[in-house]
Amino acid sequence: MAGRAQPSGPAGSGGGAPGLLPLLLLLLSAAAIIPRGDGQNLVTEDVTVVEGDVATISCRVKNSDDSVIQLLNPNRQTIYFRDFRPLKDSRFQLVNFSNSELRVSLTNVSISDEGRYFCQLYTDPPQEIYTTITVLVPPRNLVIDIEKETAVEGEEIELNCTAMASRPATTIRWFKGNKELTGKSEVERWSDMYTVTSQLLLKVGREDDGVPVICLVDHPAVKDLQTQRYLEVMYKPQVRVSQNYPLQGLTREGEPLELTCTAFGKPQPTDMRWLRVDDEMPQHVVVSGSNLLISNLNKTDNGTYRCEASNAVGKSHADYMLFVYDTTATTEPAVHGFTQLPNSAEELDYGDLSGTPVPPTASTEALPTVQLSNASLAFRPDSRAGEEGAIRSVDHAVVGGVVAVVVFAMLCLLIILGRYFARHKGTYFTHEAKGADDAADADTAIINAEGGQNNSEEKKEYFI
């Protein structure tokens, strides 16, 4: 019968020992018609092995009665009959043989060795049980392909990680630094092998420059299999202005001021310049590279001075607000008038008040928000103190002016009221009843009045 032991000799063998040939023919003929039993007295286990390793198959008898134990391959060829190996495959080696166990090792396991192996016990009735060998194949190769070797901040790039020819299919995980990310995987099957490709879409920022992106494989045949690529991100400059002199004093009239502008980006900024916001730069200001020097401060120097830096990606700036105090100023606030504005709202999130480097994230298009740097922490409160003093002086002048206007208005009101009451004070006399003092009644008085009815139009009194 095809796929079973042949009656001409031990299955898969080129012949046996001459004295054993009749016995083998009898036993193998019986094996060809042995039905599978329930395996009540025969025990074995499934085997999982990585390709290239060693698999060990064990056929054990619970209660031995000296019955013959035989091991067959998936093609029903006899591998071992007791301690005899009819099959000419040197990869099978006898590990242990006794009346209760037949243990055989298979070295350099390959995919073709996968399948069911049969343990047979010649009892009455005969017994048979099978064990399954499963072969695991780790990925042949693990590769990360990146869409762009160099990206610009804000761009979204695509990364692909491919694990080739594995069995079973692998699970791919993504990490950026220590943070796990989520990718999208596709599985392709080629014969008995699987190729898995995982795609990751990643929006990069300047903080990602130099950070490794890791592709890690979860597979039962291998541990800690991973590969990585380092991101290279280009970004616009981050600019800072620091006050070199005076270090922590007031910027008074007649004294010098020295500022230094520093900028870093990728690529390194190549163009740096100073300007005065909303006004022309004073002629006595000396600009030398990244430094700005005013040797003799005066009130006309008040304003905002800006340092701009640019590279191939874009342009950024930082501002310094100058307030010149009188020479008589004695109060020294903790800091002088320094303010640095970030180029975007994102920079505020990365501001480090302790003085450690700030991860660069600038955008000149966004509205500026206040960012405190080392220099700003060292110099800002003075400007507030100076501004508060100036505001207090302005407040006194305004209050004095308001009081003067109120007093003047009250005086004017008093004068007007005095004139009004003076004009309406006293008794008014007219000559309308002259000559009627002795009249007996009103009618007679009217008739006897000087002028009578005829002069009534003339006796009108006007008051202006």
Side-chain angles (χ1 to χ4, degrees):
M1 297 178 61
R4 297 181 181 268
Q6 302 299 321
S8 60
S13 67
L20 295 176
L21 184 57
L23 179 60
L24 290 174
L25 289 175
L26 178 63
L27 292 175
L28 293 176
S29 299
I33 58 173
I34 291 177
R36 183 176 179 185
D38 56 7
Q40 293 177 350
N41 198 35
L42 198 57
V43 180
T44 188
E45 295 90 15
D46 292 338
V47 179
T48 300
V49 61
V50 177
E51 184 182 33
D53 288 352
V54 179
T56 300
I57 306 171
S58 177
C59 300
R60 298 189 304 278
V61 180
K62 294 180 181 179
N63 300 309
S64 176
D65 57 357
D66 296 332
S67 299
V68 176
I69 305 174
Q70 181 178 228
L71 177 63
L72 292 81
N73 67 11
N75 295 325
R76 289 284 182 173
Q77 296 173 317
T78 302
I79 301 173
Y80 267 91
F81 181 81
R82 297 178 66 87
D83 57 350
F84 175 71
R85 189 188 70 197
L87 187 65
K88 292 183 178 180
D89 189 343
S90 60
R91 294 183 304 145
F92 290 97
Q93 296 293 325
L94 184 64
V95 177
N96 182 46
F97 169 71
S98 65
N99 292 333
S100 60
E101 183 182 33
L102 175 62
R103 188 185 305 169
V104 178
S105 66
L106 172 60
T107 60
N108 195 22
V109 178
S110 65
I111 291 293
S112 60
D113 297 321
E114 194 173 69
R116 291 181 176 181
Y117 290 74
F118 300 91
C119 297
Q120 291 182 347
L121 181 64
Y122 294 100
T123 59
D124 187 15
Q127 298 180 32
E128 180 181 274
I129 194 171
Y130 64 83
T131 177
T132 302
I133 292 183
T134 302
V135 180
L136 305 177
V137 181
R140 305 291 184 186
N141 199 9
L142 189 62
V143 180
I144 293 181
D145 293 323
I146 189 168
E147 181 184 13
K148 291 184 178 181
E149 294 294 332
T150 302
V152 178
E153 62 175 338
E155 283 187 336
E156 185 177 65
I157 60 174
E158 178 182 326
L159 297 94
N160 291 281
C161 182
T162 303
M164 302 174 60
S166 64
R167 184 175 181 181
T170 61
T171 299
I172 294 179
R173 301 168 63 191
W174 288 98
F175 291 87
K176 186 181 74 171
N178 296 323
K179 181 181 179 181
E180 185 168 0
L181 307 176
T182 302
K184 182 180 179 181
S185 296
E186 293 183 358
V187 180
E188 296 182 8
R189 181 171 181 175
W190 301 90
S191 183
D192 293 332
M193 310 298 283
Y194 298 88
T195 295
V196 180
T197 301
S198 180
Q199 180 188 73
L200 176 66
L201 297 177
L202 181 62
K203 187 174 182 179
V204 296
R206 63 179 60 194
E207 68 277 4
D208 296 322
D209 184 48
V211 175
V213 175
I214 301 169
C215 173
L216 184 144
V217 165
D218 279 342
H219 194 274
V222 65
K223 293 182 179 180
D224 300 328
L225 177 61
Q226 64 181 37
T227 186
Q228 64 183 20
R229 292 286 296 271
Y230 286 89
L231 297 174
E232 186 173 356
V233 182
M234 299 176 64
Y235 50 90
K236 63 181 64 176
Q238 169 116 6
V239 186
R240 293 180 181 175
V241 174
S242 57
Q243 180 177 304
N244 298 334
Y245 186 86
L247 292 178
Q248 294 182 351
L250 298 176
T251 48
R252 298 184 179 91
E253 286 185 294
E255 294 186 354
L257 170 69
E258 183 179 357
L259 304 177
T260 297
C261 179
T262 56
F264 61 92
K266 191 170 184 179
Q268 188 63 24
T270 56
D271 183 23
M272 187 180 300
R273 70 189 186 101
W274 283 95
L275 56 91
R276 188 177 182 184
V277 180
D278 299 330
D279 204 348
E280 294 184 358
M281 186 74 77
Q283 294 183 354
H284 58 279
V285 174
V286 178
V287 176
S288 177
S290 61
N291 294 332
L292 182 147
L293 176 64
I294 303 177
S295 58
N296 189 4
L297 289 172
N298 58 67
K299 294 286 187 178
T300 62
D301 296 327
N302 289 341
T304 301
Y305 295 82
R306 174 172 294 175
C307 176
E308 290 184 345
S310 61
N311 60 9
V313 180
K315 180 188 296 184
S316 304
H317 68 267
D319 291 342
Y320 175 89
M321 292 189 296
L322 173 63
F323 183 84
V324 180
Y325 294 89
D326 294 331
T327 56
T328 57
T330 58
T331 303
E332 281 198 20
V335 199
H336 179 58
F338 175 81
T339 299
Q340 180 170 340
L341 299 178
N343 300 297
S344 71
E346 289 82 358
E347 285 194 8
L348 186 59
D349 296 336
Y350 295 102
D352 187 349
L353 301 182
S354 64
T356 56
V358 180
T361 53
S363 173
T364 55
E365 292 79 7
L367 292 176
T369 56
V370 175
Q371 177 189 24
L372 299 179
S373 64
N374 294 340
S376 64
L377 286 175
F379 302 112
R380 183 166 184 173
D382 271 357
S383 105
R384 293 181 179 176
E387 291 171 1
E388 290 174 0
I391 291 172
R392 286 196 294 270
S393 299
V394 173
D395 290 344
H396 291 314
V398 172
V399 171
V402 172
V403 171
V405 170
V406 172
V407 172
F408 178 76
M410 293 179 65
L411 290 175
C412 292
L413 181 61
L414 291 175
I415 292 172
I416 292 172
L417 291 175
R419 290 176 59 85
Y420 175 77
F421 287 117
R423 290 196 174 218
H424 290 74
K425 186 176 181 181
T427 303
Y428 295 90
F429 298 94
T430 65
H431 299 281
E432 294 178 359
K434 186 176 180 182
D437 294 337
D438 299 329
D441 51 31
D443 294 333
T444 305
I446 294 173
I447 295 172
N448 295 335
E450 184 178 339
Q453 296 283 337
N454 298 326
N455 297 327
S456 60
E457 290 297 327
E458 299 176 0
K459 297 178 180 178
K460 293 182 179 179
E461 182 177 345
Y462 295 90
F463 175 77
I464 298 176

PDB file of all heavy atoms in Angstrom, residues 299-324:
ATOM      1  N   LYS A 299      17.865 108.934  26.178  1.00  0.00           N
ATOM      2  CA  LYS A 299      16.437 108.621  26.136  1.00  0.00           C
ATOM      3  C   LYS A 299      15.944 108.279  24.731  1.00  0.00           C
ATOM      4  O   LYS A 299      14.974 107.548  24.564  1.00  0.00           O
ATOM      5  CB  LYS A 299      15.631 109.809  26.682  1.00  0.00           C
ATOM      6  CG  LYS A 299      15.849 110.097  28.160  1.00  0.00           C
ATOM      7  CD  LYS A 299      15.167 109.067  29.030  1.00  0.00           C
ATOM      8  CE  LYS A 299      15.240 109.452  30.498  1.00  0.00           C
ATOM      9  NZ  LYS A 299      14.534 108.481  31.355  1.00  0.00           N
ATOM     10  N   THR A 300      16.607 108.824  23.726  1.00  0.00           N
ATOM     11  CA  THR A 300      16.164 108.547  22.361  1.00  0.00           C
ATOM     12  C   THR A 300      16.431 107.110  21.940  1.00  0.00           C
ATOM     13  O   THR A 300      15.935 106.670  20.896  1.00  0.00           O
ATOM     14  CB  THR A 300      16.872 109.499  21.376  1.00  0.00           C
ATOM     15  OG1 THR A 300      18.301 109.269  21.438  1.00  0.00           O
ATOM     16  CG2 THR A 300      16.561 110.952  21.713  1.00  0.00           C
ATOM     17  N   ASP A 301      17.211 106.395  22.738  1.00  0.00           N
ATOM     18  CA  ASP A 301      17.507 104.993  22.404  1.00  0.00           C
ATOM     19  C   ASP A 301      16.405 104.044  22.846  1.00  0.00           C
ATOM     20  O   ASP A 301      16.460 102.848  22.535  1.00  0.00           O
ATOM     21  CB  ASP A 301      18.832 104.559  23.056  1.00  0.00           C
ATOM     22  CG  ASP A 301      20.016 105.345  22.519  1.00  0.00           C
ATOM     23  OD1 ASP A 301      19.979 105.702  21.327  1.00  0.00           O
ATOM     24  OD2 ASP A 301      20.958 105.600  23.294  1.00  0.00           O
ATOM     25  N   ASN A 302      15.442 104.546  23.615  1.00  0.00           N
ATOM     26  CA  ASN A 302      14.358 103.678  24.074  1.00  0.00           C
ATOM     27  C   ASN A 302      13.650 103.030  22.881  1.00  0.00           C
ATOM     28  O   ASN A 302      13.396 103.676  21.866  1.00  0.00           O
ATOM     29  CB  ASN A 302      13.337 104.457  24.905  1.00  0.00           C
ATOM     30  CG  ASN A 302      13.885 104.855  26.265  1.00  0.00           C
ATOM     31  OD1 ASN A 302      14.865 104.278  26.732  1.00  0.00           O
ATOM     32  ND2 ASN A 302      13.272 105.849  26.893  1.00  0.00           N
ATOM     33  N   GLY A 303      13.333 101.744  23.033  1.00  0.00           N
ATOM     34  CA  GLY A 303      12.632 101.044  21.963  1.00  0.00           C
ATOM     35  C   GLY A 303      12.912  99.555  22.010  1.00  0.00           C
ATOM     36  O   GLY A 303      13.508  99.030  22.949  1.00  0.00           O
ATOM     37  N   THR A 304      12.486  98.883  20.962  1.00  0.00           N
ATOM     38  CA  THR A 304      12.648  97.436  20.860  1.00  0.00           C
ATOM     39  C   THR A 304      13.673  97.117  19.778  1.00  0.00           C
ATOM     40  O   THR A 304      13.525  97.561  18.627  1.00  0.00           O
ATOM     41  CB  THR A 304      11.316  96.753  20.520  1.00  0.00           C
ATOM     42  OG1 THR A 304      10.366  97.058  21.544  1.00  0.00           O
ATOM     43  CG2 THR A 304      11.480  95.242  20.433  1.00  0.00           C
ATOM     44  N   TYR A 305      14.691  96.353  20.157  1.00  0.00           N
ATOM     45  CA  TYR A 305      15.755  95.951  19.238  1.00  0.00           C
ATOM     46  C   TYR A 305      15.596  94.460  18.942  1.00  0.00           C
ATOM     47  O   TYR A 305      15.453  93.650  19.868  1.00  0.00           O
ATOM     48  CB  TYR A 305      17.127  96.260  19.831  1.00  0.00           C
ATOM     49  CG  TYR A 305      17.366  97.748  19.995  1.00  0.00           C
ATOM     50  CD1 TYR A 305      16.862  98.429  21.103  1.00  0.00           C
ATOM     51  CD2 TYR A 305      18.060  98.467  19.034  1.00  0.00           C
ATOM     52  CE1 TYR A 305      17.054  99.797  21.246  1.00  0.00           C
ATOM     53  CE2 TYR A 305      18.268  99.843  19.168  1.00  0.00           C
ATOM     54  CZ  TYR A 305      17.763 100.506  20.275  1.00  0.00           C
ATOM     55  OH  TYR A 305      17.952 101.858  20.409  1.00  0.00           O
ATOM     56  N   ARG A 306      15.631  94.139  17.683  1.00  0.00           N
ATOM     57  CA  ARG A 306      15.339  92.767  17.235  1.00  0.00           C
ATOM     58  C   ARG A 306      16.554  92.150  16.548  1.00  0.00           C
ATOM     59  O   ARG A 306      17.191  92.785  15.698  1.00  0.00           O
ATOM     60  CB  ARG A 306      14.154  92.757  16.287  1.00  0.00           C
ATOM     61  CG  ARG A 306      13.856  91.406  15.638  1.00  0.00           C
ATOM     62  CD  ARG A 306      12.546  91.462  14.882  1.00  0.00           C
ATOM     63  NE  ARG A 306      11.429  91.665  15.804  1.00  0.00           N
ATOM     64  CZ  ARG A 306      10.165  91.844  15.410  1.00  0.00           C
ATOM     65  NH1 ARG A 306       9.873  91.864  14.117  1.00  0.00           N
ATOM     66  NH2 ARG A 306       9.206  92.021  16.308  1.00  0.00           N
ATOM     67  N   CYS A 307      16.809  90.885  16.898  1.00  0.00           N
ATOM     68  CA  CYS A 307      17.841  90.098  16.217  1.00  0.00           C
ATOM     69  C   CYS A 307      17.142  89.035  15.376  1.00  0.00           C
ATOM     70  O   CYS A 307      16.357  88.237  15.900  1.00  0.00           O
ATOM     71  CB  CYS A 307      18.781  89.437  17.222  1.00  0.00           C
ATOM     72  SG  CYS A 307      20.010  88.340  16.444  1.00  0.00           S
ATOM     73  N   GLU A 308      17.426  89.024  14.081  1.00  0.00           N
ATOM     74  CA  GLU A 308      16.837  88.059  13.166  1.00  0.00           C
ATOM     75  C   GLU A 308      17.918  87.108  12.649  1.00  0.00           C
ATOM     76  O   GLU A 308      19.043  87.530  12.358  1.00  0.00           O
ATOM     77  CB  GLU A 308      16.179  88.752  11.974  1.00  0.00           C
ATOM     78  CG  GLU A 308      14.923  89.513  12.317  1.00  0.00           C
ATOM     79  CD  GLU A 308      14.252  90.100  11.090  1.00  0.00           C
ATOM     80  OE1 GLU A 308      14.911  90.157  10.029  1.00  0.00           O
ATOM     81  OE2 GLU A 308      13.065  90.503  11.200  1.00  0.00           O
ATOM     82  N   ALA A 309      17.547  85.822  12.554  1.00  0.00           N
ATOM     83  CA  ALA A 309      18.459  84.819  12.003  1.00  0.00           C
ATOM     84  C   ALA A 309      17.683  83.935  11.043  1.00  0.00           C
ATOM     85  O   ALA A 309      16.489  83.664  11.248  1.00  0.00           O
ATOM     86  CB  ALA A 309      19.081  83.974  13.114  1.00  0.00           C
ATOM     87  N   SER A 310      18.334  83.463   9.990  1.00  0.00           N
ATOM     88  CA  SER A 310      17.657  82.643   8.991  1.00  0.00           C
ATOM     89  C   SER A 310      18.588  81.554   8.488  1.00  0.00           C
ATOM     90  O   SER A 310      19.816  81.676   8.548  1.00  0.00           O
ATOM     91  CB  SER A 310      17.183  83.519   7.823  1.00  0.00           C
ATOM     92  OG  SER A 310      18.284  84.145   7.185  1.00  0.00           O
ATOM     93  N   ASN A 311      17.964  80.455   8.031  1.00  0.00           N
ATOM     94  CA  ASN A 311      18.692  79.388   7.355  1.00  0.00           C
ATOM     95  C   ASN A 311      17.848  78.902   6.181  1.00  0.00           C
ATOM     96  O   ASN A 311      16.888  79.570   5.782  1.00  0.00           O
ATOM     97  CB  ASN A 311      19.045  78.252   8.324  1.00  0.00           C
ATOM     98  CG  ASN A 311      17.823  77.612   8.949  1.00  0.00           C
ATOM     99  OD1 ASN A 311      16.683  77.900   8.553  1.00  0.00           O
ATOM    100  ND2 ASN A 311      18.026  76.752   9.928  1.00  0.00           N
ATOM    101  N   ALA A 312      18.185  77.737   5.641  1.00  0.00           N
ATOM    102  CA  ALA A 312      17.484  77.251   4.462  1.00  0.00           C
ATOM    103  C   ALA A 312      16.029  76.914   4.740  1.00  0.00           C
ATOM    104  O   ALA A 312      15.211  76.848   3.817  1.00  0.00           O
ATOM    105  CB  ALA A 312      18.198  76.011   3.913  1.00  0.00           C
ATOM    106  N   VAL A 313      15.671  76.719   6.015  1.00  0.00           N
ATOM    107  CA  VAL A 313      14.299  76.335   6.368  1.00  0.00           C
ATOM    108  C   VAL A 313      13.415  77.553   6.572  1.00  0.00           C
ATOM    109  O   VAL A 313      12.262  77.589   6.144  1.00  0.00           O
ATOM    110  CB  VAL A 313      14.294  75.443   7.620  1.00  0.00           C
ATOM    111  CG1 VAL A 313      12.872  75.034   7.984  1.00  0.00           C
ATOM    112  CG2 VAL A 313      15.159  74.215   7.390  1.00  0.00           C
ATOM    113  N   GLY A 314      13.939  78.599   7.235  1.00  0.00           N
ATOM    114  CA  GLY A 314      13.102  79.760   7.508  1.00  0.00           C
ATOM    115  C   GLY A 314      13.815  80.791   8.355  1.00  0.00           C
ATOM    116  O   GLY A 314      15.040  80.758   8.538  1.00  0.00           O
ATOM    117  N   LYS A 315      13.039  81.734   8.896  1.00  0.00           N
ATOM    118  CA  LYS A 315      13.569  82.866   9.648  1.00  0.00           C
ATOM    119  C   LYS A 315      12.900  82.929  11.009  1.00  0.00           C
ATOM    120  O   LYS A 315      11.715  82.635  11.151  1.00  0.00           O
ATOM    121  CB  LYS A 315      13.321  84.161   8.878  1.00  0.00           C
ATOM    122  CG  LYS A 315      13.837  85.426   9.565  1.00  0.00           C
ATOM    123  CD  LYS A 315      13.384  86.673   8.829  1.00  0.00           C
ATOM    124  CE  LYS A 315      13.951  86.745   7.438  1.00  0.00           C
ATOM    125  NZ  LYS A 315      13.589  88.014   6.749  1.00  0.00           N
ATOM    126  N   SER A 316      13.688  83.348  12.035  1.00  0.00           N
ATOM    127  CA  SER A 316      13.175  83.529  13.396  1.00  0.00           C
ATOM    128  C   SER A 316      13.804  84.787  13.988  1.00  0.00           C
ATOM    129  O   SER A 316      14.783  85.319  13.454  1.00  0.00           O
ATOM    130  CB  SER A 316      13.480  82.310  14.273  1.00  0.00           C
ATOM    131  OG  SER A 316      12.962  81.134  13.705  1.00  0.00           O
ATOM    132  N   HIS A 317      13.264  85.259  15.112  1.00  0.00           N
ATOM    133  CA  HIS A 317      13.809  86.457  15.731  1.00  0.00           C
ATOM    134  C   HIS A 317      13.580  86.435  17.237  1.00  0.00           C
ATOM    135  O   HIS A 317      12.761  85.669  17.752  1.00  0.00           O
ATOM    136  CB  HIS A 317      13.184  87.718  15.129  1.00  0.00           C
ATOM    137  CG  HIS A 317      11.729  87.870  15.470  1.00  0.00           C
ATOM    138  ND1 HIS A 317      10.721  87.404  14.656  1.00  0.00           N
ATOM    139  CD2 HIS A 317      11.101  88.428  16.545  1.00  0.00           C
ATOM    140  CE1 HIS A 317       9.550  87.677  15.197  1.00  0.00           C
ATOM    141  NE2 HIS A 317       9.751  88.298  16.352  1.00  0.00           N
ATOM    142  N   ALA A 318      14.312  87.323  17.933  1.00  0.00           N
ATOM    143  CA  ALA A 318      14.123  87.564  19.359  1.00  0.00           C
ATOM    144  C   ALA A 318      14.249  89.071  19.586  1.00  0.00           C
ATOM    145  O   ALA A 318      15.032  89.747  18.906  1.00  0.00           O
ATOM    146  CB  ALA A 318      15.136  86.799  20.194  1.00  0.00           C
ATOM    147  N   ASP A 319      13.489  89.619  20.557  1.00  0.00           N
ATOM    148  CA  ASP A 319      13.426  91.065  20.802  1.00  0.00           C
ATOM    149  C   ASP A 319      14.022  91.424  22.160  1.00  0.00           C
ATOM    150  O   ASP A 319      13.931  90.642  23.116  1.00  0.00           O
ATOM    151  CB  ASP A 319      11.988  91.555  20.732  1.00  0.00           C
ATOM    152  CG  ASP A 319      11.415  91.487  19.323  1.00  0.00           C
ATOM    153  OD1 ASP A 319      12.193  91.386  18.358  1.00  0.00           O
ATOM    154  OD2 ASP A 319      10.178  91.520  19.205  1.00  0.00           O
ATOM    155  N   TYR A 320      14.597  92.627  22.228  1.00  0.00           N
ATOM    156  CA  TYR A 320      15.080  93.202  23.477  1.00  0.00           C
ATOM    157  C   TYR A 320      14.460  94.590  23.604  1.00  0.00           C
ATOM    158  O   TYR A 320      14.619  95.438  22.721  1.00  0.00           O
ATOM    159  CB  TYR A 320      16.608  93.303  23.470  1.00  0.00           C
ATOM    160  CG  TYR A 320      17.185  94.003  24.674  1.00  0.00           C
ATOM    161  CD1 TYR A 320      17.514  93.283  25.819  1.00  0.00           C
ATOM    162  CD2 TYR A 320      17.392  95.372  24.676  1.00  0.00           C
ATOM    163  CE1 TYR A 320      18.051  93.926  26.925  1.00  0.00           C
ATOM    164  CE2 TYR A 320      17.920  96.025  25.780  1.00  0.00           C
ATOM    165  CZ  TYR A 320      18.239  95.291  26.904  1.00  0.00           C
ATOM    166  OH  TYR A 320      18.756  95.924  28.003  1.00  0.00           O
ATOM    167  N   MET A 321      13.733  94.826  24.702  1.00  0.00           N
ATOM    168  CA  MET A 321      13.085  96.113  24.932  1.00  0.00           C
ATOM    169  C   MET A 321      13.960  96.961  25.858  1.00  0.00           C
ATOM    170  O   MET A 321      14.191  96.584  27.013  1.00  0.00           O
ATOM    171  CB  MET A 321      11.692  95.907  25.530  1.00  0.00           C
ATOM    172  CG  MET A 321      10.722  95.268  24.554  1.00  0.00           C
ATOM    173  SD  MET A 321       9.006  95.231  25.114  1.00  0.00           S
ATOM    174  CE  MET A 321       9.147  94.165  26.537  1.00  0.00           C
ATOM    175  N   LEU A 322      14.435  98.076  25.344  1.00  0.00           N
ATOM    176  CA  LEU A 322      15.350  98.943  26.080  1.00  0.00           C
ATOM    177  C   LEU A 322      14.602 100.122  26.679  1.00  0.00           C
ATOM    178  O   LEU A 322      13.827 100.791  25.992  1.00  0.00           O
ATOM    179  CB  LEU A 322      16.449  99.451  25.135  1.00  0.00           C
ATOM    180  CG  LEU A 322      17.396 100.503  25.713  1.00  0.00           C
ATOM    181  CD1 LEU A 322      18.191  99.932  26.890  1.00  0.00           C
ATOM    182  CD2 LEU A 322      18.336 101.018  24.620  1.00  0.00           C
ATOM    183  N   PHE A 323      14.845 100.379  27.970  1.00  0.00           N
ATOM    184  CA  PHE A 323      14.337 101.565  28.654  1.00  0.00           C
ATOM    185  C   PHE A 323      15.512 102.213  29.369  1.00  0.00           C
ATOM    186  O   PHE A 323      16.166 101.585  30.214  1.00  0.00           O
ATOM    187  CB  PHE A 323      13.243 101.199  29.649  1.00  0.00           C
ATOM    188  CG  PHE A 323      12.642 102.395  30.334  1.00  0.00           C
ATOM    189  CD1 PHE A 323      11.624 103.124  29.729  1.00  0.00           C
ATOM    190  CD2 PHE A 323      13.106 102.810  31.569  1.00  0.00           C
ATOM    191  CE1 PHE A 323      11.076 104.234  30.347  1.00  0.00           C
ATOM    192  CE2 PHE A 323      12.562 103.919  32.197  1.00  0.00           C
ATOM    193  CZ  PHE A 323      11.542 104.633  31.587  1.00  0.00           C
ATOM    194  N   VAL A 324      15.820 103.436  29.024  1.00  0.00           N
ATOM    195  CA  VAL A 324      16.961 104.157  29.587  1.00  0.00           C
ATOM    196  C   VAL A 324      16.494 104.981  30.775  1.00  0.00           C
ATOM    197  O   VAL A 324      15.577 105.806  30.650  1.00  0.00           O
ATOM    198  CB  VAL A 324      17.620 105.057  28.522  1.00  0.00           C
ATOM    199  CG1 VAL A 324      18.808 105.805  29.127  1.00  0.00           C
ATOM    200  CG2 VAL A 324      18.065 104.219  27.326  1.00  0.00           C
TER     201      VAL A 324
END
